[in-house]
């Protein structure tokens, strides 16, 4: 199992970030999963630090969504285990919330019922869950759309609903499966900026699946590069130098550009 | 300003009824009354109450049959959609029923259950049930996987998944299955009145034919087709009102 | 459905139902249900008799002609409606009405107009099949990719060429889908027609059997009919799948 930890932090800022070994919220241990003949994951291990955003990045077919769904408890691994806050995962749990690539909104339910749906399933009383939902609808910038239906919203707004639903159950870990891949480029940029402040303000652990190198480098505290056939973690990159330079400056930062180039160099031979 | 589509609909109706009137005046056949004669007969039957009495009788097997088919059909359909075992056992029956000319069973039903209401209800049921069952089962089976997965990831129990995800997601298709079932039920109800025993509207049609009162016969046929079409249109409107948002809801553009 | 690790074929449960039928028949629960084996024996006896062959021939004749007229009239009408807005708006309300109307009510009219014979049955069959064929051909034409039509015009296709080389083929999957449903409806139409005009085909045969309480004969003919109807509908579904390979890629 080749797993190298590369720290590309520039010299000046290195001590403050790399000093404390971060506390681990989720860890995957020796996860294997095959679908019939196809080996999706082989003995994969990875740790996700608390309060940070970790991206799973790789070409299609490298098993990143499979890994995320195993963490969510939606799929069972053939072997290995997932620990969330030290406890083994046996199925979906209240400590994790999922944001879906295709939003997975209930078409027959209003925005507020969609956002409150996680709480509804937990048996929270209607008025209470709607208060919570209203708060998060405001937080994601959809105030005023509480009674709209999903088909009346744009793709970007629908994903905000999906995000608000995941936030409203107040889980420790947020699992995001290519959440911005179905929205247009400009909306995606806005989302990425919002995600940065979300990671900073909410003390949650984010696991973020993407196939966009730029997106991964832009939003992540830690990037795990996954390779297909057999699926494995090529390396884990922890960008650190540009995290504090402000959302608008990241894309101009030399370190940002270096990491993007470096990742592309290591992935290009796997893209057919 | 009246809309173009309404004008064209009226024009289309005038053209068809006008052609009917002219064909009746020529006449193309001794048994082809004009449109106006038929409508006069219709008004006369409405005014003297014959038509209402007839419909009270015709609608009986239809309503009972459709209600039975709806309850049984949706129940069996949901079950087939949820369980692969049940699907293996029962869906072939309904698939064959859907493709087969079940009307051929009518002589048998008459022998088994006589010429009364029971037979007629049976005819309506065998016509209406297959489409209700198959639509329901298909809709339940095709519930988008992603919203079921979403519900599970937010800790839904199995009963929650069925009641809060599968049933609401399937209800538009179930409802349109019901509409198709009602449509088939109308065919069955009229068929049984023409084939088994002439009662209700079937009686008006058969009787007026036997005494060569063609305007009354055409009027009765016109009225039953009108009733069926109007009723089915109302159902379709209801479908739009209830489930309007659903048709576009699943796309993730 | 799997059993002992093997995948059971889709229709295999019909065997279970057949066995159940045999059992109920042997127990003599009801006079109306003779054992399945007896029905099959009767089936092979009946199938060669002149009465059966005559009924089958008459039914096939009415069915084939009825479907033929439904397709020959329905497909061009549908394509025309898809292409021309005025025609569409004039005809669509009527097509929709007859699609859902209880057409059985029209059979008495056909009987007084065209007599108690083959003609009425053929028209009944056509009436059952044609509306869905029109509607599907129309839908097929309306969904044609605009750039396909523009491409044809750019390369200088005449209206007739555009019709035969673009419209027909681009709408073919929908047209075939309509024909399949139309044919299933036609099977029902031809039987309903024969039942109401019960002096020809299977209608006459049914009258004969039920008047003489020949239950096994009755069921044997029913099984043949159902099997034929089912085979026709599966055959057309297979054809439709063969054609729809390119429909998926549009």
């Amino acid at each position: 199992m080749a797993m190298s930890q590369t720290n590309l932090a520039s010299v000046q800022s290195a001590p403050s970030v790399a000093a404390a070994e971060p506390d681990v919220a989720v860890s995957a241990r020796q996860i294997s999963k095959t679908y019939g003949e196809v080996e999706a994951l082989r003995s994969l291990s990875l740790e996700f630090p608390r309060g940070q955003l970790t991206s799973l990045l790789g070409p299609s077919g490298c098993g990143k969504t499979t890994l995320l769904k195993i963490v969510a408890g939606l799929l069972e691994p053939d072997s290995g285990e997932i620990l969330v806050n030290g406890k083994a995962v046996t199925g979906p749990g209240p400590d994790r919330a999922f944001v879906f690539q295709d939003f997975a909104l209930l078409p027959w339910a209003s925005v507020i019922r969609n956002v409150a749906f996680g709480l509804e399933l937990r048996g929270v009383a209607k008025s209470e869950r709607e208060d919570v939902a209203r708060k998060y609808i405001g937080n994601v910038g959809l105030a005023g759309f509480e009674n709209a239906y999903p088909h009346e919203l744009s793709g970007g707004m629908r994903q905000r609903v999906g995000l608000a639903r995941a936030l409203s159950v107040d889980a420790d870990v947020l699992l995001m499966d290519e959440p911005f891949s179905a929205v247009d480029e400009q909306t995606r940029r806005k989302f990425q900026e919002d995600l940065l402040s979300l990671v900073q303000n909410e003390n949650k652990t984010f696991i973020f699946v993407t196939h966009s190198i730029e997106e991964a480098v832009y939003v992540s505290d830690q990037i795990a590069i996954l390779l297909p056939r057999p699926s494995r973690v090529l390396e884990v990159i922890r960008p650190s130098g540009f995290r504090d330079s402000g959302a608008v400056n990241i894309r101009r930062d030399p370190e940002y550009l270096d990491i993007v180039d470096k990742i592309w160099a290591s992935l290009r031979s796997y893209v057919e | 300003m009246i809309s173009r589509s309404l004008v064209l609909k009226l024009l289309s109706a005038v053209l068809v009824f006008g052609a009917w009137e002219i064909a009746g005046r020529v006449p193309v056949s001794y048994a082809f009354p004009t449109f106006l004669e038929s409508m006069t007969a219709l008004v006369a039957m409405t005014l003297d109450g014959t038509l209402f009495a007839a419909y009270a009788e015709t609608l009986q097997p239809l309503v009972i049959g459709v209600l039975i088919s709806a309850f049984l059909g949706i129940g069996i359909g949901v079950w087939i959609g949820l369980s692969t075992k049940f699907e293996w056992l029962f869906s072939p029956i309904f698939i064959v029923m859907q493709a087969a000319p079940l009307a051929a069973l009518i002589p048998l039903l008459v022998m088994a259950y006589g010429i009364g209401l029971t037979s007629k209800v049976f005819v309506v049921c065998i016509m209406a049930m297959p489409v209700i069952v198959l639509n329901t089962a298909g809709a339940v089976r095709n519930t988008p996987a992603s919203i079921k997965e979403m519900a599970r990831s937010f800790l839904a129990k199995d009963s929650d998944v069925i009641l809060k995800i599968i049933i609401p997601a399937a209800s538009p298709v179930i409802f349109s299955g019901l509409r198709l079932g009602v449509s088939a039920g109308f065919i069955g109800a009229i068929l049984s009145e023409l084939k088994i025993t002439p009662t209700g509207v079937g009686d008006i049609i058969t009787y007026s034919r036997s005494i060569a009162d063609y305007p009354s016969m055409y009027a009765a046929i016109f009225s039953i087709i009108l009733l069926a079409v109007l009723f089915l249109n109302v159902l379709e409107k209801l479908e739009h009102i209830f489930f309007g948002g659903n048709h576009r809801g699943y796309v993730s553009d | 459905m799997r059993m002992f690790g093997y995948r059971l074929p889709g229709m295999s449960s019909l065997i279970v139902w057949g066995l159940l039928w045999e059992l109920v028949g042997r127990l003599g629960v009801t006079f109306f249900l003779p054992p399945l084996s007896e029905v099959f024996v009767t089936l092979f006896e009946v199938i060669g008799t002149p009465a059966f062959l005559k009924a089958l021939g008459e039914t096939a004749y009415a069915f084939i002609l009825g479907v033929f007229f439904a397709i020959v009239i329905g497909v061009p009408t549908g394509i025309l409606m898809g292409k021309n807005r005025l025609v569409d708006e004039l005809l669509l309300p009527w097509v929709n009405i007859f699609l859902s109307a209880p057409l059985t009510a029209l059979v008495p009219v056909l009987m007084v107009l065209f007599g108690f014979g083959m003609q009425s049955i053929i028209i009944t069959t056509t009436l059952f099949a044609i509306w869905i064929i029109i509607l599907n051909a129309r839908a097929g034409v309306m969904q044609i990719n605009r750039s396909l039509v523009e491409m044809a015009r750019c390369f200088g296709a005449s209206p007739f060429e555009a019709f035969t080389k673009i419209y027909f083929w681009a709408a073919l999957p929908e047209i075939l889908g309509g024909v399949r449903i139309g044919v299933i409806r036609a099977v029902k139409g031809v039987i309903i027609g024969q039942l109401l005009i019960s002096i020809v085909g299977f209608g006459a045969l049914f009258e004969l059997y039920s008047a003489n309480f020949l239950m096994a004969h009755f069921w044997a003919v029913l099984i043949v009919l159902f099997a034929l109807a089912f085979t026709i509908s599966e055959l057309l579904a297979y054809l439709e799948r063969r054609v729809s390979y390119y429909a998926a890629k549009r």
Side-chain angles (χ1 to χ4, degrees):
Chain A
M1 179 80 217
M3 182 173 144
S4 64
Q5 182 117 348
T6 315
N7 197 332
L8 288 178
S10 54
V11 185
Q12 309 91 297
S13 60
S16 62
V17 180
E21 187 59 34
D23 155 34
V24 172
V26 178
S27 64
R29 293 189 179 164
Q30 307 285 320
I31 299 289
S32 297
K33 175 81 183 169
T34 51
Y35 294 109
E37 298 290 293
V38 185
E39 192 175 30
L41 296 170
R42 182 197 283 178
S43 191
L44 184 145
S45 297
L46 196 58
E47 305 210 310
F48 302 89
R50 187 179 306 283
Q52 299 196 355
L53 189 150
T54 302
S55 295
L56 304 174
L57 175 68
S60 51
C62 70
K64 44 194 196 299
T65 295
T66 304
L67 179 60
L68 195 72
K69 288 194 171 168
I70 290 175
V71 174
L74 291 170
L75 292 176
E76 276 197 37
D78 297 334
S79 66
E81 60 173 356
I82 301 285
L83 298 180
V84 176
N85 296 328
K87 274 186 292 192
V89 165
T90 53
D95 46 3
R96 283 150 292 146
F98 207 105
V99 179
F100 291 82
Q101 180 177 7
D102 62 355
F103 323 138
L105 302 182
L106 306 178
W108 56 84
S110 61
V111 165
I112 191 154
R113 178 154 182 239
N114 265 298
V115 172
F117 191 65
L119 296 170
E120 182 183 336
L121 290 174
R122 284 171 203 195
V124 176
K126 190 175 164 79
S127 61
E128 193 182 331
R129 66 180 190 243
E130 292 199 339
D131 286 342
V132 176
R134 220 167 263 121
K135 176 185 149 206
Y136 283 102
I137 290 170
N139 282 3
V140 299
L142 283 181
F145 287 94
E146 285 85 354
N147 295 315
Y149 283 83
H151 68 87
E152 297 165 325
L153 306 177
S154 68
M157 290 159 90
R158 287 184 211 175
Q159 193 53 295
R160 287 177 188 278
V161 177
L163 188 61
R165 177 176 60 197
L167 290 172
S168 69
V169 294
D170 197 27
D172 287 343
V173 181
L174 234 60
L175 308 168
M176 308 176 94
D177 182 16
E178 300 194 23
F180 310 148
S181 66
V183 300
D184 66 86
E185 170 66 21
Q186 286 143 44
T187 312
R188 182 154 56 233
R189 283 199 172 218
K190 182 77 177 72
F191 264 119
Q192 290 164 355
E193 290 180 9
D194 291 352
L195 184 59
L196 281 182
S197 53
L198 200 66
V199 175
Q200 230 160 31
N201 301 334
E202 302 268 341
N203 185 28
K204 292 185 193 304
T205 307
F206 293 75
I207 305 180
F208 185 93
V209 166
T210 180
H211 55 238
S212 158
I213 299 174
E214 282 84 357
E215 180 168 275
V217 180
Y218 184 81
V219 299
S220 311
D221 299 299
Q222 168 178 301
I223 304 159
I225 300 175
L226 270 62
L227 289 181
R229 286 179 292 275
S231 294
R232 60 197 188 275
V233 179
L234 175 73
E235 61 182 322
V236 176
I237 298 175
R238 299 183 56 81
S240 48
F242 52 77
R243 240 353 68 181
D244 305 320
S245 58
V248 285
N249 296 319
I250 295 180
R251 286 196 178 83
R252 286 200 295 255
D253 193 287
E255 189 199 343
Y256 166 86
L257 296 168
D258 283 349
I259 299 178
V260 170
D261 267 359
K262 180 180 174 312
I263 295 177
W264 174 234
S266 50
L267 281 183
R268 67 185 310 163
S269 58
Y270 293 94
V271 178
E272 49 280 300
Chain B
M1 179 76 197
I2 317 161
S3 73
R4 172 189 156 100
S5 98
L6 185 67
V7 170
L8 279 165
K9 263 183 194 150
L10 287 175
L11 178 66
S12 165
V14 168
L15 283 177
V16 169
F17 293 137
W20 178 354
E21 179 70 25
I22 292 165
R25 275 174 199 267
V26 170
V28 289
S29 157
Y30 69 93
F32 197 84
T34 65
F35 174 68
L36 290 176
E37 279 167 7
S38 305
M39 288 306 110
T40 316
L42 183 62
V43 172
M45 279 194 290
T46 316
L47 289 182
D48 71 8
T50 340
L51 211 56
F52 297 108
Y55 275 108
E57 223 171 340
T58 299
L59 292 180
Q60 230 173 28
L62 182 66
V63 171
I64 300 174
V66 164
L67 283 181
I68 294 174
S69 308
F71 276 107
L72 275 181
I74 292 176
I76 296 173
V78 169
W79 202 353
I80 288 178
L82 289 176
S83 145
T84 50
K85 282 199 186 69
F86 210 74
E87 183 189 355
W88 173 79
L89 192 58
F90 280 93
S91 75
I93 291 187
F94 291 101
I95 292 172
V96 171
M97 279 174 87
Q98 173 77 340
L102 287 177
L105 280 171
I106 292 179
L108 198 77
L109 286 172
V110 174
M111 275 191 283
Y113 299 102
I115 54 170
L117 187 63
T118 323
S119 285
K120 291 178 181 172
V121 170
F122 251 104
V123 173
V124 173
C125 282
I126 57 173
M127 301 293 252
M129 195 116 101
V131 68
I132 298 179
V133 171
L134 292 178
N135 260 41
T136 307
V140 167
R141 205 178 307 120
N142 293 332
T143 309
S146 81
I147 57 173
K148 280 192 277 186
E149 207 164 50
M150 181 278 290
R152 287 214 296 129
S153 86
F154 285 102
L155 306 176
K157 296 187 288 286
D158 284 349
S159 60
D160 284 330
V161 174
I162 294 174
L163 290 177
K164 293 187 171 173
I165 303 291
I166 292 176
I167 300 280
S171 47
V173 183
I174 295 178
F175 196 91
S176 64
L178 274 182
R179 181 164 52 80
L180 294 173
V182 171
S183 168
F186 263 104
I187 292 183
I190 296 164
L191 186 59
S192 65
E193 288 199 331
L194 291 175
K195 177 73 192 170
I196 301 175
T197 39
T199 49
V201 183
D203 184 36
I204 301 182
I205 295 173
T206 317
Y207 177 70
S208 47
R209 189 179 70 197
S210 69
I211 61 163
D213 179 7
Y214 295 115
S216 297
M217 174 185 160
Y218 279 62
I221 292 171
F222 183 85
S223 74
I224 185 85
I225 290 182
L226 188 72
L227 179 79
V229 170
L230 281 182
F231 186 65
L232 291 168
N233 266 335
V234 169
L235 284 185
E236 209 174 339
K237 288 264 153 44
L238 284 179
E239 212 173 313
H240 277 287
I241 294 170
F242 289 156
F243 308 114
N246 264 8
H247 300 297
R248 288 161 291 171
Y250 295 127
V251 283
S252 52
D253 50 344
Chain C
M1 162 92 177
R2 292 173 158 274
M3 204 176 262
F4 313 119
Y6 291 100
R7 231 185 84 81
L8 293 171
M11 285 286 163
S12 54
S13 66
L14 286 180
I15 297 169
V16 176
W17 291 106
L19 289 175
L20 190 69
W21 179 347
E22 178 71 22
L23 195 72
V24 172
R26 285 196 183 266
L27 290 175
V29 176
T30 158
F31 156 76
F32 299 103
L33 206 66
L36 185 60
S37 52
E38 194 188 317
V39 172
F40 270 107
V41 171
T42 317
L43 195 155
F44 287 108
E45 282 168 15
V46 164
I47 220 162
T49 59
F52 178 84
L53 290 177
K54 181 169 168 285
L56 189 66
E58 283 170 346
T59 308
Y61 175 74
F63 172 76
I64 290 170
L65 273 186
V67 170
F68 173 78
F69 287 125
I71 293 175
V72 166
I73 302 169
V75 172
T77 310
I79 293 181
L80 192 65
M81 282 170 73
K83 283 191 65 181
N84 185 311
R85 190 173 161 205
L86 183 68
V87 175
D88 187 41
E89 281 173 304
L90 284 177
L91 291 185
L92 189 61
W94 294 101
V95 174
N96 275 328
I97 284 174
F98 284 108
L99 184 72
S100 54
L103 294 167
T104 24
L106 282 177
V107 178
V109 174
L110 298 176
M111 279 156 71
V112 297
L113 288 181
F114 302 100
F116 287 70
M118 210 42 129
Q119 228 181 338
S120 298
I121 297 178
I122 295 172
I123 297 174
T124 309
T125 312
T126 304
L127 274 181
F128 267 75
I130 196 168
W131 313 107
I132 190 71
I133 293 178
I134 294 180
L135 217 56
N136 265 41
R138 169 184 178 270
V141 170
M142 290 184 101
Q143 58 75 40
I144 291 177
N145 193 341
R146 276 207 64 77
S147 61
L148 211 58
V149 178
E150 280 161 5
M151 178 277 290
R153 280 176 48 203
C154 284
F155 287 105
S158 69
F160 181 71
E161 277 177 315
F163 190 84
T164 54
K165 293 191 172 158
I166 304 289
Y167 286 104
F168 180 75
W169 293 103
L172 191 59
E174 276 83 2
I175 292 178
L176 272 183
V179 169
R180 183 175 62 81
I181 307 173
V183 164
I184 295 173
R185 287 176 158 228
V187 172
K188 299 179 177 175
V190 80
I191 295 301
I192 287 175
Q194 291 185 356
L195 278 176
L196 292 178
I197 310 166
S198 48
I199 54 166
V200 280
F202 285 115
L205 217 52
F206 284 138
E207 289 287 313
L208 182 74
Y209 293 157
S210 54
N212 295 302
F213 298 101
L214 296 168
M215 283 298 111
H217 287 71
F218 197 99
W219 281 111
V221 172
L222 269 186
I223 286 180
V224 173
L225 261 184
F226 281 19
L228 278 179
F230 187 69
T231 311
I232 292 172
S233 109
E234 285 302 294
L235 200 71
L236 284 162
Y238 170 77
L239 273 181
E240 199 184 333
R241 282 195 296 274
R242 286 293 299 272
V243 172
S244 61
Y245 67 93
Y246 71 82
K249 288 182 191 147
R250 304 189 280 233

